[in-house]
């Protein structure tokens, strides 16, 4: 009985359901005072904000040369010994050095304890005499007897490259133009020590070197004046019989410096200076803002010219009879300034297509191409395949196939990540397998 009474009292004392609930009016939210804190940035955000990063670089080069005190504008290899390299730069100086160094089995970065310091290669010769930047350097072809340098001071300087002391003594110099844009050695086997230069005044000069001539070692073979603005680029046909030049005025000329086209019956109906000529007056050929690069196919059948806005024109060239290798003109020796078209400038009349050509496509525009968006700075044909590589200021490289209507085989849009491509070249002139490799250089300072 007592147990029942006790249970009843506990039940009476237990809180009701209504009493157990909190009245909403009595509730209050208490928020502690916590000032704002910046959010943590992840790695990607830090990179976007320009935070410093540590980048591990590796240098797998065999050797390096760093004695120039300013930008390097031109490089040339000796035609017989490619390990001999000449460079010219903004310090008005040309250096010659040898890159003949031992090649390790593995790149330096694979060594267990790679060396962090290496000394620069030492020069064979340091050549001075230019009063402005050296922006063109090349060896004469054949045996590479002479090293040629051209500068923004208008000088062309000839150094002997055959002395036993390897000091490259100065043999001759000339200064006929305000600035030199390019030097192009002639591959003609009968004229191994002949070269062409293009100048900013539009003129084109062809010289030959004669070390035996006691009066002058450097003689003018021809000089041409049809370009009205800067002559930006030039290239010889593979046999060295014809020279092709282009200009900022949009003109394209094929020259016959040794008279071999005339001897083959190929002449022009104009002043007789150029075998083929195309100018901006022909709207089919015209490229606004000029032409900057040229290359000739390995067969010599056509030339590719590159200009502003990514424009490319393919032009047919004369095909000379290989039996007519004898020049119709007199010997180069003694021609001198008498061959400079009378010493006065000729009118820049557009040249009509060559008459009597052995090829019906001479002077014809075979193709007009435009894939890239900015100026075409460099062109190169593969020595063994039907490929044409094109480098542009927009940082891209395009590979065309000339055997299939210049179809695009590859478009490398970010070849140099937006920086101008200044040089493209196929490898292996004597090795067909290496000819599949393409090397490019860009304003980003990278060689690929």
């Amino acid at each position: 009985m007592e147990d029942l009474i006790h249970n009843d009292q506990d039940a009476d004392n237990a809180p009701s359901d209504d009493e157990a609930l909190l009245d909403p009016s009595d509730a209050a939210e208490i928020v502690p005072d916590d000032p704002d804190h910046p959010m943590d940035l992840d790695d990607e955000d830090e990179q976007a904000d320009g935070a410093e990063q540590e980048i591990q670089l590796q240098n797998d080069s065999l050797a390096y040369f760093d004695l120039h005190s300013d930008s390097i504008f031109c490089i040339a290899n000796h035609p017989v010994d490619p390990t001999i390299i000449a460079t010219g730069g903004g310090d008005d100086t040309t250096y010659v050095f040898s890159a003949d160094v031992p090649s390790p089995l593995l790149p330096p970065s694979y060594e267990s304890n790679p060396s962090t310091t290496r000394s620069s290669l030492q020069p064979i010769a340091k050549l001075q005499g230019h009063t402005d930047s050296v922006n063109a350097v090349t060896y004469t072809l054949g045996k590479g007897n002479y090293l040629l340098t051209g500068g923004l001071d208008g000088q062309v300087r000839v150094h002997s490259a055959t002395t036993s002391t390897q000091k490259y003594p100065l043999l001759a110099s000339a200064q006929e133009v305000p600035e030199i844009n390019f030097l192009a050695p002639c591959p003609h086997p009968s004229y191994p020590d002949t070269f062409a230069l293009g100048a900013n005044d539009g003129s084109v000069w062809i010289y030959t070197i004669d070390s035996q001539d006691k009066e002058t070692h450097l003689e003018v073979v021809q000089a041409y004046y049809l370009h009205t603005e800067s002559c930006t680029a030039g290239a010889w046909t593979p046999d060295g019989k014809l020279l092709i030049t282009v200009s900022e005025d949009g003109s394209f000329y094929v020259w016959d410096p040794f008279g071999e086209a005339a001897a083959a019956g190929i002449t022009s109906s104009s002043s007789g200076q150029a075998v083929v000529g195309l100018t901006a007056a022909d709207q089919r050929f015209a490229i606004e803002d000029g032409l900057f690069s040229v290359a000739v196919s390995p067969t010599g059948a056509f030339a590719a010219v590159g200009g502003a806005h990514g424009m490319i024109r393919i032009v047919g060239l004369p095909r000379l009879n290989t039996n007519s290798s004898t020049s119709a003109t007199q010997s180069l020796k003694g021609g001198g300034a008498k061959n400079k078209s009378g010493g006065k400038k000729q009118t820049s009349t557009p040249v009509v297509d060559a008459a009597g050509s052995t090829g019906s496509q001479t002077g014809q525009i075979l193709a007009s191409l435009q894939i890239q968006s900015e100026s075409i700075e460099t062109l190169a044909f593969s020595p063994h395949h039907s490929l044409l590589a094109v480098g542009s200021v927009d940082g891209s490289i395009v590979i065309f196939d000339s055997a299939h209507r210049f179809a695009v085989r590859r478009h490398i849009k970010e070849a140099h990540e937006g920086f101008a491509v200044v040089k493209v070249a196929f490898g292996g002139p004597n090795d067909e397998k290496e000819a599949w490799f393409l090397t490019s250089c860009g304003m980003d300072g990278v060689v690929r």
Side-chain angles (χ1 to χ4, degrees):
M1 190 69 170
E2 291 179 357
D3 292 336
L4 293 176
I5 294 173
H6 179 73
N7 291 335
D8 290 340
Q9 290 178 351
D10 291 341
D12 293 338
N13 294 330
S16 65
D17 292 339
D18 293 338
E19 291 178 351
L21 296 177
L22 180 66
D23 190 289
S25 61
D26 296 332
E29 181 180 4
I30 300 176
V31 178
D33 186 13
D34 187 13
D36 292 337
H37 294 283
M39 296 179 63
D40 293 335
L41 297 177
D42 55 21
D43 294 340
E44 294 182 358
D45 292 332
E46 289 180 0
Q47 295 177 11
D49 291 342
E52 293 186 0
Q53 295 180 335
E54 183 177 351
I55 301 176
Q56 298 293 332
L57 298 178
Q58 64 184 39
N59 183 357
D60 286 338
S61 62
L62 297 178
Y64 72 95
F65 182 82
D66 65 352
L67 296 189
H68 279 286
S69 59
D70 206 333
S71 299
I72 298 174
F73 297 137
C74 47
I75 300 177
N77 296 84
H78 192 281
V80 177
D81 184 359
T83 63
I84 302 297
I85 301 172
T87 59
D91 53 4
D92 312 342
T93 303
T94 301
Y95 283 101
V96 182
F97 60 92
S98 173
D100 186 12
V101 296
S103 178
L105 296 177
L106 293 174
S109 60
Y110 282 74
E111 297 177 2
S112 58
N113 186 21
S115 175
T116 58
T117 59
R118 288 185 295 169
S119 59
S120 169
L121 296 173
Q122 294 304 304
I124 294 173
K126 178 181 180 181
L127 309 178
Q128 295 179 306
H130 285 282
T131 59
D132 206 337
S133 299
V134 179
N135 65 330
V137 60
T138 187
Y139 283 91
T140 55
L141 298 181
K143 297 181 179 180
N145 292 330
Y146 304 101
L147 174 65
L148 315 172
T149 63
L152 295 180
D153 57 358
Q155 281 194 83
V156 55
R157 297 172 68 84
V158 180
H159 296 264
S160 176
T162 59
T163 59
S164 57
T165 57
Q166 292 186 322
K167 295 301 182 182
Y168 284 70
L170 179 67
L171 180 68
S173 65
Q175 188 172 8
E176 304 279 359
V177 297
E179 296 179 4
I180 293 176
N181 289 335
F182 70 86
L183 295 169
C186 178
H188 198 303
S190 299
Y191 311 111
D193 298 327
T194 301
F195 65 94
L197 68 82
N200 70 328
D201 62 0
S203 63
V204 179
W205 297 72
I206 300 175
Y207 291 90
T208 189
I209 305 166
D210 185 357
S211 61
Q212 304 302 319
D213 192 327
K214 296 182 179 180
E215 295 183 2
T216 176
H217 298 302
L218 194 58
E219 299 179 6
V220 177
V221 178
Q222 299 285 354
Y224 304 111
Y225 303 97
L226 291 184
H227 293 300
T228 59
E229 294 183 28
S230 179
C231 181
T232 52
W236 294 88
T237 53
D239 56 12
K241 296 178 181 180
L242 301 173
L243 173 69
I244 298 92
T245 59
V246 296
S247 169
E248 286 184 356
D249 64 5
S251 60
F252 164 96
Y253 290 110
V254 180
W255 313 103
D256 179 27
F258 311 122
E260 300 203 15
I266 302 175
T267 58
S268 67
S269 59
S270 68
S271 63
Q273 277 197 317
V275 176
V276 176
L278 295 168
T279 69
D282 186 341
Q283 292 302 309
R284 300 169 303 168
F285 181 77
I287 295 179
E288 187 178 357
D289 298 327
L291 304 174
F292 306 115
S293 53
V294 60
V296 181
S297 67
T299 62
F302 53 85
V305 296
H309 316 297
M311 302 294 290
I312 301 171
R313 300 286 186 266
I314 308 298
V315 182
L317 298 178
R319 302 300 299 274
L320 302 185
N321 189 339
T322 55
N323 295 327
S324 61
S325 59
T326 331
S327 173
T329 58
Q330 295 180 345
S331 171
L332 291 177
K333 184 176 181 180
K338 291 186 292 183
N339 289 328
K340 292 164 58 177
S341 304
K344 59 182 180 181
K345 294 187 177 182
Q346 304 295 309
T347 57
S348 55
T349 306
V351 181
V352 182
D353 293 343
S357 170
T358 56
S360 60
Q361 295 182 333
T362 295
Q364 298 296 315
I365 302 171
L366 306 180
S368 295
L369 312 171
Q370 186 182 23
I371 301 297
Q372 292 139 304
S373 60
E374 297 188 42
S375 300
I376 304 301
E377 289 294 304
T378 175
L379 299 157
F381 282 96
S382 171
H384 297 288
H385 309 294
S386 59
L387 301 179
L388 168 64
V390 180
S392 171
V393 172
D394 66 10
S396 70
I397 296 174
V398 175
I399 310 295
F400 295 96
D401 189 344
S402 63
H404 294 84
R405 299 176 180 268
F406 291 93
V408 176
R409 290 306 183 197
R410 189 175 180 188
H411 186 188
I412 312 173
K413 295 183 179 180
E414 296 296 328
H416 284 268
E417 301 179 353
F419 290 87
V421 181
V422 296
K423 185 68 175 180
V424 291
F426 284 95
N430 300 316
D431 189 336
E432 186 173 353
K433 293 182 179 179
E434 291 186 2
W436 289 110
F437 292 96
L438 177 70
T439 301
S440 66
C441 301
M443 291 297 291
D444 54 357
V446 178
V447 177
R448 289 186 168 89

